[in-house]
Amino acid sequence: MKKPSVLVAACAVAVSVAACGPSDTVTNRNVKAKLLDASQQTREVYVMTKGGVVTLSGTVESPKAKELAVQLARETSGVTDVIDLIEVDAPAATS
């Protein structure tokens, strides 16, 4: 009778591990890849992930670029929350 209980325990462990989702390292890498692929303007955004919470920092040239970075991070698998510390610094006009 011990075989079924061992099987049940093994299944419980497998489900528990699968429910945890991707590691912070994988999530961080995925967010960075999305930002690099999306736009030249989001390439200077720095990403840090801890416990599924992604913190974005750095400087972008427009509010639109900031919105895009936050949106892409939120849509990434493994992200549970996004902390937006990105600053908008429009480039100086040339004369």
Side-chain angles (χ1 to χ4, degrees):
M1 294 304 273
K2 285 191 177 185
K3 265 190 172 177
S5 62
V6 171
L7 180 61
V8 170
C11 288
V13 169
V15 168
S16 174
V17 169
C20 292
S23 72
D24 286 343
T25 303
V26 171
T27 300
N28 203 71
R29 183 174 44 231
N30 290 342
V31 171
K32 284 182 180 180
K34 281 187 172 187
L35 294 175
L36 286 172
D37 288 344
S39 168
Q40 186 70 29
Q41 292 184 349
T42 58
R43 290 177 184 234
E44 295 299 319
V45 174
Y46 303 100
V47 181
M48 190 169 83
T49 306
K50 184 169 183 177
V53 178
V54 172
T55 301
L56 302 175
S57 61
T59 305
V60 294
E61 295 180 1
S62 71
K64 187 174 180 178
K66 179 177 176 167
E67 285 179 37
L68 177 61
V70 172
Q71 177 186 351
L72 290 171
R74 284 194 176 125
E75 293 173 351
T76 303
S77 176
V79 174
T80 58
D81 198 9
V82 175
I83 298 171
D84 175 14
L85 302 177
I86 300 170
E87 295 184 23
V88 177
D89 185 26
T94 57
S95 45

